Amino acid sequence: MIRKKLCLAVRHVAFEDLGLLGPLVASHNYEMRYHDAGIDPFDSGTLQSPDLVVVLGGPIGVYEGNTYPFIAGEVAAIAGRIAAEKPILGICLGAQMMAAALGARVAPGPYKEIGWAPLTLTAEGNNSVLAALGGTPVLHWHGDNCELPAGCVGLASTAHCPVQAFVRSPSQLALQFHLETEPARFESWLVGHTVELGKAGIDPNELRKQAQTFGGATLEIGRKVLAAWLDQVAGAPA
């Protein structure tokens, strides 16, 4: 009998969950479990035992440890997993936490990127699992940027965010943007982030239009990219 593997998803707000990654992870023989940051504690073994870890997004900054004390423990746990060469995917805040765990600076960027827009892939990005993205617009929802950590390779950028994706090894990937978000559940993002949208002067109706225009294509490309990465993880040496 094939052993069921464990995927642990670190969640910061309820509506930013695995999304379309859930069925993909299940199809790759993983059992899914959530670890709610700020509620469930992080210790030295929290992120070591799962076969796969996905660190999801959230509306806080890595540098806000004084306000959110759990951040230090989470970053330390991520650093331990990375050092152990175990598979990990960071999305948005999760990508920034991976960068911080690797010693890179994370700080507010010059511009809030919220909405669908294309990426510019680097040469390495065009030879990675992200190649399928091409010029397809993806969902951005962040105000913080990170530097490229030492020993990592940049895969994508935008005009306001030079590091949109990086990889440390084939099984350790960080994405500033969101491929996991399902258009049918996008309304929960608009409700959950209403204060941020108001402060940024962004009309939720404009984002709804973008979701209707680009959401279907992004959904299909997102499935393809994330499935390819999971296949890559499955083929990586243990």
Side-chain angles (χ1 to χ4, degrees):
M1 184 176 178
I2 299 175
R3 179 183 73 88
K4 200 81 168 176
K5 298 175 289 185
L6 174 63
C7 171
L8 184 70
V10 178
R11 181 170 55 186
H12 301 92
V13 287
F15 60 88
E16 292 198 38
D17 57 16
L18 284 168
L20 66 85
L21 252 173
L24 289 175
V25 164
S27 72
H28 283 73
N29 195 42
Y30 290 95
E31 172 192 350
M32 293 172 291
R33 190 178 306 162
Y34 283 101
H35 184 92
D36 287 307
I39 299 171
D40 302 324
F42 289 93
D43 58 36
S44 59
T46 303
L47 302 187
Q48 286 292 339
S49 57
D51 299 282
L52 173 65
V53 166
V54 180
V55 186
L56 297 164
I60 59 175
V62 174
Y63 45 82
E64 294 185 289
N66 288 336
T67 306
Y68 304 100
F70 70 84
I71 289 175
E74 182 172 353
V75 171
I78 291 170
R81 184 169 183 89
I82 291 172
E85 306 293 344
K86 294 183 176 182
I88 183 169
L89 171 64
I91 298 173
C92 200
L93 174 60
Q96 295 158 14
M97 287 195 166
M98 285 179 64
L102 288 163
R105 181 172 177 266
V106 180
Y111 177 81
K112 272 190 180 291
E113 291 187 305
I114 299 178
W116 272 262
L119 301 162
T120 299
L121 298 181
T122 65
E124 293 84 0
N126 277 312
N127 287 312
S128 75
V129 295
L130 299 188
L133 288 173
T136 302
V138 297
L139 175 61
H140 303 269
W141 203 303
H142 71 103
D144 292 345
N145 288 355
C146 67
E147 295 177 340
L148 181 66
C152 295
V153 175
L155 301 180
S157 66
T158 56
H160 298 288
C161 182
V163 182
Q164 278 280 358
F166 66 85
V167 64
R168 180 177 177 270
S169 71
S171 63
Q172 296 184 337
L173 175 65
L175 306 175
Q176 276 271 45
F177 50 94
H178 296 272
L179 293 179
E180 83 288 358
T181 308
E182 298 169 296
R185 299 174 60 206
F186 185 59
E187 192 68 22
S188 64
W189 285 58
L190 300 180
V191 174
H193 288 304
T194 182
V195 173
E196 182 179 20
L197 292 176
K199 287 182 176 179
I202 296 172
D203 184 354
N205 287 313
E206 176 57 32
L207 294 178
R208 285 191 189 97
K209 291 177 186 175
Q210 292 182 16
Q212 291 169 359
T213 302
F214 303 116
T218 304
L219 183 71
E220 292 309 311
I221 292 289
R223 282 197 186 107
K224 183 180 295 186
V225 169
L226 295 171
W229 183 74
L230 289 168
D231 290 343
Q232 193 167 268
V233 169

